[in-house]
Amino acid sequence: LANAYGSEPPDCVLHLWSLSESKDDLGFFSVLYLTQSLAPNYITQNGRWLLFSQASHEVTGNEDLSPSCATLSGIAGVIPLEFPSIASRHVDLDPGHPDLASQVLHEIQTISATRLCAWRNGKRWLRSWKSLCLPQPSETSEIEPGATYLITGGIGSMGLALAEYFAEQAACRLVLTGRSDFPERSRWKAIAESSGGHSERIRRTLGRIEAIENSGSTVDYIRADVSDPEATAHLCSHLETVHGGLGGIVHTAGELD
């Protein structure tokens, strides 16, 4: 199809396959494959893509919904981000309307910036967004003094930054975990003060841990792979026995330094 159109793709594409079937391969994936093959040809030419479905979104509350077709809204929103020359729109037709052709024709003739619209009882509904005023955050810290907090990936850059933040808020107990080997606690002070034998990264990490503990918090490091169910179960058992539970968990394992 892409080769047939070449450098002159169609001005308007109507995707109607989802009207007869609700299977993903006839809905989302067919549009995905069409985009991968045809959309790159829209380099110097604008186009409009209309993706039709029936009852994929709740509007009146009385629809017999077909949620698998709702995935068309996602790809309709992404296509213009990848290919700015294509204006795509997901149109959810009225499942009970006797003349769907008139609704399809209306969409073809309508130039609209909306990425999603729905027809119900002969009326055209547009999705809109409303600003929400959030309450001012409390100035009271939610970090409880003396509570124990687990930070996975704790000696990574993000994990350490969070540990420092927690310690600034309250004197607490911080348990850092990771898959990497780390010196035993009895050697921390000597390594932090030495000039050789260990990497500069480990010495900097130990220096930051020392600063955390000087502020009143305590830090423990436990080597554990949280992607391993058995290792995680052992870790939880250890924390329950030693610390009597957790005040919170922050998962930063896998982040890039």
Side-chain angles (χ1 to χ4, degrees):
L1 179 63
N3 292 335
Y5 279 107
S7 60
E8 297 182 358
D11 296 320
C12 185
V13 173
L14 308 181
H15 185 274
L16 303 169
W17 216 345
S18 298
L19 296 181
S20 58
E21 298 285 349
S22 61
K23 297 178 181 178
D24 282 345
D25 57 348
L26 299 183
F28 175 85
F29 287 107
S30 63
V31 177
L32 175 63
Y33 301 146
L34 183 66
T35 303
Q36 292 173 336
S37 60
L38 189 58
N41 293 340
Y42 288 88
I43 302 298
T44 59
Q45 177 181 331
N46 294 329
R48 288 195 304 133
W49 288 23
L50 304 177
L51 317 178
F52 292 92
S53 65
Q54 279 186 292
S56 64
H57 290 275
E58 184 176 12
V59 179
T60 66
N62 298 320
E63 301 94 339
D64 184 13
L65 296 177
S66 176
S68 63
C69 292
T71 54
L72 292 176
S73 294
I75 198 166
V78 170
I79 289 174
L81 300 179
E82 298 285 342
F83 304 95
S85 58
I86 299 177
S88 59
R89 181 162 74 246
H90 177 197
V91 182
D92 197 38
L93 299 177
D94 190 343
H97 199 276
D99 187 10
L100 295 181
S102 64
Q103 298 177 1
V104 173
L105 181 61
H106 185 281
E107 293 299 326
I108 296 174
Q109 297 172 337
T110 300
I111 305 299
S112 173
T114 183
R115 301 283 168 79
L116 173 64
C117 68
W119 286 84
R120 297 294 186 271
N121 301 320
K123 298 184 181 298
R124 187 172 186 261
W125 297 71
L126 302 180
R127 181 176 63 180
S128 61
W129 305 99
K130 181 185 296 185
S131 298
L132 179 64
C133 294
L134 298 176
Q136 290 294 326
S138 172
E139 295 183 0
T140 303
S141 172
E142 296 185 1
I143 307 301
E144 300 180 9
T148 301
Y149 295 93
L150 171 66
I151 303 178
T152 65
I155 58 173
S157 57
M158 186 182 298
L160 274 177
L162 287 169
E164 290 168 336
Y165 171 78
F166 278 33
E168 290 173 0
Q169 303 305 306
C172 55
R173 295 177 292 181
L174 300 169
V175 179
L176 313 182
T177 68
R179 294 180 296 179
S180 302
D181 286 325
F182 201 68
E184 295 180 3
R185 182 180 183 86
S186 60
R187 302 172 56 206
W188 286 3
K189 183 176 179 59
I191 294 173
E193 295 175 349
S194 68
S195 58
H198 290 83
S199 69
E200 180 62 26
R201 182 178 183 275
I202 289 180
R203 286 196 294 273
R204 287 199 307 268
T205 298
L206 289 174
R208 294 173 69 177
I209 290 175
E210 182 180 12
I212 291 174
E213 294 199 318
N214 288 339
S215 69
S217 295
T218 63
V219 179
D220 289 320
Y221 178 79
I222 300 176
R223 184 182 180 187
D225 183 356
V226 294
S227 66
D228 182 339
E230 185 176 346
T232 302
H234 180 74
L235 170 65
C236 293
S237 177
H238 171 79
L239 294 174
E240 182 68 28
T241 301
V242 176
H243 298 284
L246 295 173
I249 301 174
V250 181
H251 179 62
T252 66
E255 59 94 10
L256 298 178
D257 289 341

